[in-house]
Amino acid sequence: MRHLIDPLDFSKQEINALLDLADSICADPAAYQEVANQKKLATLFYEPSTRTRLSFEAAMLNLGGHVLGFPSDNVSSAAKGESVADTIRTVSCYADIAAMRHPKEGAPLRASRYSRIPVINAGDGGHQHPTQTMTDLMTIRGRKGRLENLTIGLCGDLKFGRTVHSLIKTMARYEGIRFILISPSELRVPDYIVKDVLEAGGIPYREVLSLEEAMPELDILYMTRVQRERFFNEEDYIRLKDSYILTGKQMSLAKPDMAVLHPLPRVNEIALDVDDDPRAAYFQQVQNGVYVRMALIMTLLGLKDPKAEKEAN
């Protein structure tokens, strides 16, 4: 039995195989509509979510499976003080696989140690978000045709942005990757990411304040919102929330084939006029999230690929 708690839980080869399966599902979703018959996914969401929770549910339903779970901690026994360990022990009696989002870093990892079913980290605090990273990789590979030799700009909240942390850890494993980290000093990438990932791996990077300065160099621009829910001080949030707003004028500085990604939700860090730019890839990311999570559920449950079996015969 395997879990996905950290993006490094999968090797590069396993990630590439997962993305290949997601591409196959994207090309012919109908071929996979009965793969998970009678299987059940539990969505254990202790934090609000739209895209991640619904895409997990859509993924399981698209595979012919069933979904149960809760959308927030106040409608579960967590409101009564039940521990994560006891919750997953209980859910293991009902479901075949679980996706957990939790505000505390490490909660999905703790759940995996008590679980009798595969556990997927659907986001833990400001720590990791591995399935969003797999979605990002599918989108980048689809837009650029590769995951190597790219200059990636990460802009906005790089301190609390779990999607940013997961993406850096994963992309750092590919050849020829260079990062430009664009943020106010208060929201710069945590030191442990800089020291343990970038500097330890000899990954080229630089930290800048100006988005305009970085734009002409970028193959990928990954925008993030400043996350109100991670701030302890409302004044700091108000001061920093509009640090970067991507506009059509700024897009004119970018390469013709640059892709703009965003894990969403968006507040106002991408102006609406950017949505019509063919380089805007963030709603494509949303669709890709369903295919990636379908592929991940199949992989962790050991379900056979019907198209691969048919081709083999």
Short mmCIF file of all heavy atoms in Angstrom, two decimals, residues 57-118:
data_model
loop_
_atom_site.label_atom_id
_atom_site.label_comp_id
_atom_site.label_asym_id
_atom_site.label_seq_id
_atom_site.Cartn_x
_atom_site.Cartn_y
_atom_site.Cartn_z
N GLU A 57 -13.70 14.39 -6.30
CA GLU A 57 -15.00 13.72 -6.40
C GLU A 57 -15.35 13.44 -7.85
O GLU A 57 -15.82 12.34 -8.19
CB GLU A 57 -16.06 14.58 -5.72
CG GLU A 57 -15.83 14.69 -4.21
CD GLU A 57 -16.89 15.51 -3.49
OE1 GLU A 57 -17.80 16.03 -4.18
OE2 GLU A 57 -16.82 15.61 -2.26
N ALA A 58 -15.12 14.42 -8.74
CA ALA A 58 -15.38 14.21 -10.17
C ALA A 58 -14.50 13.08 -10.71
O ALA A 58 -14.96 12.25 -11.51
CB ALA A 58 -15.13 15.50 -10.94
N ALA A 59 -13.25 13.04 -10.27
CA ALA A 59 -12.33 11.99 -10.74
C ALA A 59 -12.86 10.60 -10.40
O ALA A 59 -12.89 9.70 -11.25
CB ALA A 59 -10.94 12.20 -10.15
N MET A 60 -13.28 10.42 -9.14
CA MET A 60 -13.78 9.10 -8.73
C MET A 60 -15.08 8.75 -9.44
O MET A 60 -15.27 7.61 -9.88
CB MET A 60 -13.97 9.06 -7.21
CG MET A 60 -14.16 7.66 -6.66
SD MET A 60 -12.80 6.56 -7.13
CE MET A 60 -12.90 5.29 -5.88
N LEU A 61 -15.97 9.71 -9.58
CA LEU A 61 -17.23 9.46 -10.28
C LEU A 61 -16.97 9.13 -11.76
O LEU A 61 -17.62 8.25 -12.34
CB LEU A 61 -18.16 10.66 -10.15
CG LEU A 61 -18.66 10.95 -8.73
CD1 LEU A 61 -19.42 12.27 -8.70
CD2 LEU A 61 -19.53 9.82 -8.20
N ASN A 62 -16.02 9.83 -12.37
CA ASN A 62 -15.67 9.57 -13.78
C ASN A 62 -15.12 8.17 -13.97
O ASN A 62 -15.20 7.60 -15.07
CB ASN A 62 -14.65 10.58 -14.29
CG ASN A 62 -15.23 11.97 -14.46
OD1 ASN A 62 -16.45 12.16 -14.38
ND2 ASN A 62 -14.38 12.95 -14.68
N LEU A 63 -14.52 7.61 -12.91
CA LEU A 63 -13.98 6.25 -12.98
C LEU A 63 -15.03 5.19 -12.63
O LEU A 63 -14.72 3.99 -12.61
CB LEU A 63 -12.79 6.12 -12.01
CG LEU A 63 -11.53 6.91 -12.38
CD1 LEU A 63 -10.53 6.87 -11.22
CD2 LEU A 63 -10.87 6.37 -13.65
N GLY A 64 -16.23 5.64 -12.35
CA GLY A 64 -17.30 4.69 -12.02
C GLY A 64 -17.38 4.35 -10.54
O GLY A 64 -18.11 3.44 -10.16
N GLY A 65 -16.63 5.07 -9.71
CA GLY A 65 -16.64 4.79 -8.28
C GLY A 65 -17.63 5.65 -7.52
O GLY A 65 -18.47 6.34 -8.11
N HIS A 66 -17.53 5.63 -6.20
CA HIS A 66 -18.44 6.36 -5.33
C HIS A 66 -17.63 7.27 -4.40
O HIS A 66 -16.43 7.05 -4.18
CB HIS A 66 -19.28 5.38 -4.50
CG HIS A 66 -20.02 4.38 -5.33
ND1 HIS A 66 -21.19 4.68 -5.98
CD2 HIS A 66 -19.73 3.09 -5.66
CE1 HIS A 66 -21.61 3.62 -6.64
NE2 HIS A 66 -20.75 2.65 -6.47
N VAL A 67 -18.32 8.26 -3.84
CA VAL A 67 -17.66 9.26 -2.99
C VAL A 67 -18.45 9.42 -1.68
O VAL A 67 -19.68 9.44 -1.68
CB VAL A 67 -17.57 10.63 -3.70
CG1 VAL A 67 -16.95 11.67 -2.77
CG2 VAL A 67 -16.76 10.51 -4.99
N LEU A 68 -17.73 9.52 -0.58
CA LEU A 68 -18.30 9.88 0.71
C LEU A 68 -17.30 10.78 1.42
O LEU A 68 -16.16 10.90 0.99
CB LEU A 68 -18.61 8.65 1.56
CG LEU A 68 -17.44 7.76 2.01
CD1 LEU A 68 -17.84 6.95 3.24
CD2 LEU A 68 -17.03 6.78 0.91
N GLY A 69 -17.73 11.44 2.50
CA GLY A 69 -16.78 12.28 3.22
C GLY A 69 -17.45 13.51 3.79
O GLY A 69 -18.67 13.60 3.90
N PHE A 70 -16.63 14.50 4.16
CA PHE A 70 -17.15 15.74 4.72
C PHE A 70 -16.38 16.92 4.15
O PHE A 70 -15.19 16.83 3.85
CB PHE A 70 -17.07 15.74 6.26
CG PHE A 70 -15.72 15.39 6.85
CD1 PHE A 70 -14.73 16.34 6.97
CD2 PHE A 70 -15.47 14.09 7.29
CE1 PHE A 70 -13.49 16.02 7.53
CE2 PHE A 70 -14.24 13.76 7.84
CZ PHE A 70 -13.25 14.73 7.97
N PRO A 71 -17.07 18.09 3.99
CA PRO A 71 -16.46 19.26 3.36
C PRO A 71 -15.79 20.24 4.32
O PRO A 71 -15.13 21.18 3.89
CB PRO A 71 -17.65 19.93 2.66
CG PRO A 71 -18.80 19.62 3.57
CD PRO A 71 -18.53 18.26 4.15
N SER A 72 -15.96 20.05 5.63
CA SER A 72 -15.32 20.93 6.62
C SER A 72 -15.34 20.24 7.98
O SER A 72 -16.14 19.34 8.22
CB SER A 72 -16.04 22.28 6.71
OG SER A 72 -17.35 22.12 7.19
N ASP A 73 -14.44 20.69 8.84
CA ASP A 73 -14.30 20.00 10.13
C ASP A 73 -15.53 20.16 11.03
O ASP A 73 -15.81 19.31 11.87
CB ASP A 73 -13.04 20.47 10.86
CG ASP A 73 -13.03 21.96 11.17
OD1 ASP A 73 -13.93 22.67 10.68
OD2 ASP A 73 -12.13 22.40 11.90
N ASN A 74 -16.30 21.23 10.82
CA ASN A 74 -17.43 21.47 11.73
C ASN A 74 -18.64 20.58 11.42
O ASN A 74 -19.64 20.64 12.14
CB ASN A 74 -17.84 22.94 11.74
CG ASN A 74 -18.28 23.44 10.37
OD1 ASN A 74 -18.36 22.68 9.42
ND2 ASN A 74 -18.54 24.74 10.28
N VAL A 75 -18.56 19.78 10.36
CA VAL A 75 -19.63 18.80 10.10
C VAL A 75 -19.10 17.37 10.25
O VAL A 75 -19.66 16.44 9.70
CB VAL A 75 -20.28 19.01 8.72
CG1 VAL A 75 -21.00 20.34 8.67
CG2 VAL A 75 -19.25 18.92 7.60
N SER A 76 -18.00 17.24 10.96
CA SER A 76 -17.44 15.92 11.23
C SER A 76 -17.21 15.79 12.73
O SER A 76 -17.38 16.74 13.49
CB SER A 76 -16.11 15.74 10.50
OG SER A 76 -15.07 16.45 11.15
N SER A 77 -16.77 14.62 13.15
CA SER A 77 -16.50 14.41 14.57
C SER A 77 -15.26 15.15 15.05
O SER A 77 -14.97 15.17 16.25
CB SER A 77 -16.36 12.91 14.87
OG SER A 77 -17.63 12.27 14.78
N ALA A 78 -14.53 15.78 14.13
CA ALA A 78 -13.42 16.64 14.54
C ALA A 78 -13.93 17.78 15.42
O ALA A 78 -13.23 18.25 16.32
CB ALA A 78 -12.71 17.21 13.31
N ALA A 79 -15.18 18.21 15.17
CA ALA A 79 -15.77 19.27 15.98
C ALA A 79 -15.98 18.82 17.42
O ALA A 79 -16.11 19.64 18.33
CB ALA A 79 -17.10 19.71 15.37
N LYS A 80 -16.02 17.50 17.63
CA LYS A 80 -16.18 16.95 18.97
C LYS A 80 -14.84 16.62 19.61
O LYS A 80 -14.79 16.11 20.73
CB LYS A 80 -17.03 15.69 18.92
CG LYS A 80 -18.40 15.89 18.30
CD LYS A 80 -19.14 14.56 18.16
CE LYS A 80 -20.46 14.72 17.47
NZ LYS A 80 -21.15 13.41 17.28
N GLY A 81 -13.75 16.84 18.85
CA GLY A 81 -12.42 16.58 19.38
C GLY A 81 -11.79 15.28 18.91
O GLY A 81 -10.74 14.89 19.43
N GLU A 82 -12.40 14.61 17.93
CA GLU A 82 -11.81 13.35 17.46
C GLU A 82 -10.48 13.61 16.77
O GLU A 82 -10.32 14.56 16.02
CB GLU A 82 -12.76 12.66 16.47
CG GLU A 82 -12.22 11.31 15.99
CD GLU A 82 -13.22 10.55 15.13
OE1 GLU A 82 -13.62 11.10 14.08
OE2 GLU A 82 -13.58 9.43 15.50
N SER A 83 -9.50 12.75 17.04
CA SER A 83 -8.17 12.89 16.46
C SER A 83 -8.16 12.46 15.00
O SER A 83 -9.02 11.69 14.55
CB SER A 83 -7.17 12.06 17.25
OG SER A 83 -7.42 10.67 17.05
N VAL A 84 -7.15 12.94 14.27
CA VAL A 84 -6.94 12.52 12.88
C VAL A 84 -6.72 11.01 12.82
O VAL A 84 -7.23 10.33 11.92
CB VAL A 84 -5.75 13.28 12.27
CG1 VAL A 84 -5.25 12.59 11.00
CG2 VAL A 84 -6.14 14.72 11.96
N ALA A 85 -5.99 10.48 13.79
CA ALA A 85 -5.71 9.04 13.81
C ALA A 85 -6.99 8.23 13.93
O ALA A 85 -7.19 7.24 13.20
CB ALA A 85 -4.76 8.71 14.96
N ASP A 86 -7.88 8.65 14.81
CA ASP A 86 -9.13 7.91 14.98
C ASP A 86 -10.06 8.09 13.78
O ASP A 86 -10.77 7.16 13.39
CB ASP A 86 -9.85 8.36 16.26
CG ASP A 86 -9.24 7.73 17.51
OD1 ASP A 86 -8.27 6.95 17.38
OD2 ASP A 86 -9.72 8.03 18.62
N THR A 87 -10.05 9.29 13.19
CA THR A 87 -10.89 9.52 12.01
C THR A 87 -10.47 8.59 10.87
O THR A 87 -11.31 7.94 10.24
CB THR A 87 -10.80 10.99 11.56
OG1 THR A 87 -11.36 11.83 12.56
CG2 THR A 87 -11.56 11.20 10.26
N ILE A 88 -9.16 8.48 10.60
CA ILE A 88 -8.73 7.66 9.48
C ILE A 88 -8.92 6.18 9.77
O ILE A 88 -9.23 5.38 8.88
CB ILE A 88 -7.27 7.97 9.07
CG1 ILE A 88 -6.98 7.45 7.65
CG2 ILE A 88 -6.28 7.38 10.05
CD1 ILE A 88 -7.78 8.12 6.56
N ARG A 89 -8.78 5.78 11.03
CA ARG A 89 -9.08 4.39 11.39
C ARG A 89 -10.54 4.06 11.08
O ARG A 89 -10.86 2.98 10.59
CB ARG A 89 -8.81 4.17 12.88
CG ARG A 89 -7.36 4.04 13.28
CD ARG A 89 -7.31 3.73 14.77
NE ARG A 89 -5.94 3.50 15.25
CZ ARG A 89 -5.35 4.23 16.19
NH1 ARG A 89 -5.99 5.26 16.72
NH2 ARG A 89 -4.13 3.95 16.59
N THR A 90 -11.41 5.01 11.39
CA THR A 90 -12.83 4.80 11.13
C THR A 90 -13.12 4.78 9.63
O THR A 90 -13.81 3.89 9.12
CB THR A 90 -13.66 5.91 11.80
OG1 THR A 90 -13.41 5.90 13.21
CG2 THR A 90 -15.13 5.75 11.53
N VAL A 91 -12.58 5.77 8.92
CA VAL A 91 -12.83 5.88 7.48
C VAL A 91 -12.28 4.66 6.74
O VAL A 91 -12.84 4.24 5.71
CB VAL A 91 -12.23 7.19 6.95
CG1 VAL A 91 -12.25 7.24 5.42
CG2 VAL A 91 -13.00 8.39 7.52
N SER A 92 -11.21 4.08 7.25
CA SER A 92 -10.65 2.87 6.62
C SER A 92 -11.64 1.72 6.59
O SER A 92 -11.49 0.79 5.79
CB SER A 92 -9.38 2.43 7.37
OG SER A 92 -8.33 3.38 7.25
N CYS A 93 -12.65 1.77 7.46
CA CYS A 93 -13.68 0.73 7.48
C CYS A 93 -14.73 0.95 6.39
O CYS A 93 -15.48 0.02 6.07
CB CYS A 93 -14.39 0.70 8.84
SG CYS A 93 -13.32 0.35 10.25
N TYR A 94 -14.77 2.17 5.83
CA TYR A 94 -15.84 2.52 4.90
C TYR A 94 -15.37 2.68 3.46
O TYR A 94 -16.16 2.48 2.53
CB TYR A 94 -16.49 3.86 5.30
CG TYR A 94 -16.98 3.95 6.71
CD1 TYR A 94 -16.87 5.15 7.42
CD2 TYR A 94 -17.58 2.87 7.35
CE1 TYR A 94 -17.34 5.26 8.73
CE2 TYR A 94 -18.05 2.97 8.65
CZ TYR A 94 -17.92 4.17 9.33
OH TYR A 94 -18.38 4.28 10.62
N ALA A 95 -14.12 3.12 3.27
CA ALA A 95 -13.66 3.53 1.94
C ALA A 95 -12.42 2.75 1.52
O ALA A 95 -11.78 2.07 2.33
CB ALA A 95 -13.37 5.03 1.94
N ASP A 96 -12.08 2.87 0.24
CA ASP A 96 -10.90 2.19 -0.31
C ASP A 96 -9.70 3.11 -0.42
O ASP A 96 -8.56 2.65 -0.52
CB ASP A 96 -11.24 1.64 -1.71
CG ASP A 96 -12.39 0.66 -1.68
OD1 ASP A 96 -12.18 -0.47 -1.21
OD2 ASP A 96 -13.50 1.03 -2.11
N ILE A 97 -9.94 4.44 -0.40
CA ILE A 97 -8.87 5.42 -0.55
C ILE A 97 -9.39 6.74 0.02
O ILE A 97 -10.61 6.97 0.02
CB ILE A 97 -8.46 5.56 -2.04
CG1 ILE A 97 -7.22 6.46 -2.21
CG2 ILE A 97 -9.63 6.03 -2.90
CD1 ILE A 97 -6.62 6.40 -3.63
N ALA A 98 -8.49 7.58 0.53
CA ALA A 98 -8.91 8.85 1.15
C ALA A 98 -8.05 10.00 0.66
O ALA A 98 -6.83 9.84 0.47
CB ALA A 98 -8.82 8.74 2.67
N ALA A 99 -8.69 11.15 0.48
CA ALA A 99 -7.98 12.40 0.20
C ALA A 99 -8.24 13.33 1.37
O ALA A 99 -9.39 13.58 1.73
CB ALA A 99 -8.48 13.02 -1.10
N MET A 100 -7.15 13.85 1.97
CA MET A 100 -7.29 14.67 3.18
C MET A 100 -6.68 16.04 2.98
O MET A 100 -5.52 16.17 2.56
CB MET A 100 -6.61 14.00 4.38
CG MET A 100 -6.61 14.86 5.64
SD MET A 100 -5.80 14.07 7.05
CE MET A 100 -7.08 12.90 7.53
N ARG A 101 -7.46 17.08 3.29
CA ARG A 101 -6.94 18.44 3.42
C ARG A 101 -7.07 18.87 4.86
O ARG A 101 -8.11 18.65 5.49
CB ARG A 101 -7.70 19.42 2.52
CG ARG A 101 -7.38 20.88 2.85
CD ARG A 101 -7.83 21.83 1.80
NE ARG A 101 -7.04 21.69 0.59
CZ ARG A 101 -7.16 22.49 -0.47
NH1 ARG A 101 -8.03 23.48 -0.46
NH2 ARG A 101 -6.40 22.31 -1.53
N HIS A 102 -6.00 19.49 5.37
CA HIS A 102 -5.99 19.84 6.80
C HIS A 102 -5.17 21.12 7.00
O HIS A 102 -4.16 21.32 6.32
CB HIS A 102 -5.35 18.70 7.60
CG HIS A 102 -5.76 18.67 9.03
ND1 HIS A 102 -5.28 19.57 9.96
CD2 HIS A 102 -6.60 17.85 9.71
CE1 HIS A 102 -5.80 19.31 11.14
NE2 HIS A 102 -6.62 18.27 11.02
N PRO A 103 -5.60 21.99 7.92
CA PRO A 103 -4.85 23.23 8.15
C PRO A 103 -3.52 23.02 8.86
O PRO A 103 -2.65 23.90 8.83
CB PRO A 103 -5.80 24.07 9.01
CG PRO A 103 -6.68 23.07 9.70
CD PRO A 103 -6.85 21.95 8.72
N LYS A 104 -3.34 21.86 9.51
CA LYS A 104 -2.10 21.61 10.24
C LYS A 104 -1.11 20.84 9.39
O LYS A 104 -1.45 19.79 8.82
CB LYS A 104 -2.39 20.83 11.53
CG LYS A 104 -3.16 21.62 12.57
CD LYS A 104 -3.33 20.83 13.86
CE LYS A 104 -4.09 21.64 14.91
NZ LYS A 104 -4.29 20.88 16.16
N GLU A 105 0.10 21.34 9.31
CA GLU A 105 1.14 20.66 8.55
C GLU A 105 1.42 19.29 9.18
O GLU A 105 1.56 19.16 10.39
CB GLU A 105 2.42 21.51 8.54
CG GLU A 105 2.22 22.86 7.86
CD GLU A 105 3.47 23.73 7.87
OE1 GLU A 105 4.51 23.26 8.37
OE2 GLU A 105 3.40 24.86 7.38
N GLY A 106 1.50 18.29 8.32
CA GLY A 106 1.82 16.95 8.79
C GLY A 106 0.62 16.09 9.13
O GLY A 106 0.77 14.90 9.41
N ALA A 107 -0.60 16.66 9.12
CA ALA A 107 -1.78 15.87 9.47
C ALA A 107 -2.01 14.70 8.52
O ALA A 107 -2.27 13.58 8.99
CB ALA A 107 -3.02 16.77 9.54
N PRO A 108 -1.92 14.88 7.20
CA PRO A 108 -2.08 13.72 6.31
C PRO A 108 -1.00 12.65 6.53
O PRO A 108 -1.27 11.46 6.41
CB PRO A 108 -2.01 14.33 4.91
CG PRO A 108 -2.43 15.75 5.09
CD PRO A 108 -1.85 16.14 6.42
N LEU A 109 0.22 13.09 6.84
CA LEU A 109 1.28 12.12 7.13
C LEU A 109 0.93 11.31 8.36
O LEU A 109 1.08 10.07 8.37
CB LEU A 109 2.62 12.85 7.35
CG LEU A 109 3.80 11.97 7.79
CD1 LEU A 109 4.10 10.90 6.75
CD2 LEU A 109 5.03 12.83 8.07
N ARG A 110 0.44 11.97 9.40
CA ARG A 110 0.03 11.25 10.60
C ARG A 110 -1.11 10.27 10.28
O ARG A 110 -1.10 9.12 10.73
CB ARG A 110 -0.42 12.23 11.69
CG ARG A 110 -0.87 11.55 12.98
CD ARG A 110 -1.04 12.53 14.12
NE ARG A 110 -1.55 11.87 15.33
CZ ARG A 110 -0.83 11.12 16.15
NH1 ARG A 110 0.47 10.92 15.89
NH2 ARG A 110 -1.37 10.56 17.21
N ALA A 111 -2.06 10.72 9.48
CA ALA A 111 -3.17 9.85 9.10
C ALA A 111 -2.66 8.60 8.38
O ALA A 111 -3.15 7.49 8.63
CB ALA A 111 -4.16 10.61 8.22
N SER A 112 -1.67 8.77 7.52
CA SER A 112 -1.18 7.63 6.74
C SER A 112 -0.57 6.55 7.63
O SER A 112 -0.58 5.37 7.27
CB SER A 112 -0.14 8.11 5.71
OG SER A 112 1.08 8.51 6.34
N ARG A 113 -0.07 6.95 8.79
CA ARG A 113 0.56 5.99 9.69
C ARG A 113 -0.46 5.12 10.43
O ARG A 113 -0.10 4.08 11.00
CB ARG A 113 1.45 6.74 10.69
CG ARG A 113 2.67 7.36 10.02
CD ARG A 113 3.47 8.24 10.97
NE ARG A 113 4.70 8.72 10.32
CZ ARG A 113 5.45 9.70 10.80
NH1 ARG A 113 5.11 10.31 11.94
NH2 ARG A 113 6.54 10.07 10.17
N TYR A 114 -1.72 5.55 10.43
CA TYR A 114 -2.76 4.77 11.11
C TYR A 114 -3.77 4.18 10.13
O TYR A 114 -4.70 3.50 10.54
CB TYR A 114 -3.50 5.67 12.11
CG TYR A 114 -2.65 6.10 13.28
CD1 TYR A 114 -1.89 7.26 13.22
CD2 TYR A 114 -2.58 5.32 14.44
CE1 TYR A 114 -1.09 7.65 14.29
CE2 TYR A 114 -1.78 5.71 15.51
CZ TYR A 114 -1.03 6.87 15.43
OH TYR A 114 -0.24 7.26 16.49
N SER A 115 -3.57 4.45 8.85
CA SER A 115 -4.58 4.10 7.85
C SER A 115 -4.37 2.70 7.29
O SER A 115 -3.25 2.24 7.12
CB SER A 115 -4.55 5.11 6.71
OG SER A 115 -5.51 4.80 5.73
N ARG A 116 -5.48 2.05 6.94
CA ARG A 116 -5.44 0.77 6.25
C ARG A 116 -5.76 0.94 4.77
O ARG A 116 -5.91 -0.05 4.05
CB ARG A 116 -6.41 -0.22 6.90
CG ARG A 116 -6.00 -0.64 8.30
CD ARG A 116 -6.89 -1.73 8.87
NE ARG A 116 -8.21 -1.23 9.22
CZ ARG A 116 -9.34 -1.51 8.54
NH1 ARG A 116 -9.29 -2.28 7.47
NH2 ARG A 116 -10.50 -1.04 8.93
N ILE A 117 -5.90 2.19 4.32
CA ILE A 117 -6.16 2.50 2.91
C ILE A 117 -5.19 3.59 2.47
O ILE A 117 -4.63 4.31 3.31
CB ILE A 117 -7.62 2.96 2.70
CG1 ILE A 117 -7.91 4.23 3.52
CG2 ILE A 117 -8.59 1.84 3.05
CD1 ILE A 117 -9.31 4.82 3.30
N PRO A 118 -4.94 3.75 1.16
CA PRO A 118 -4.05 4.82 0.69
C PRO A 118 -4.59 6.20 1.07
O PRO A 118 -5.80 6.45 0.99
CB PRO A 118 -4.06 4.64 -0.83
CG PRO A 118 -4.44 3.21 -1.05
CD PRO A 118 -5.39 2.88 0.06
#
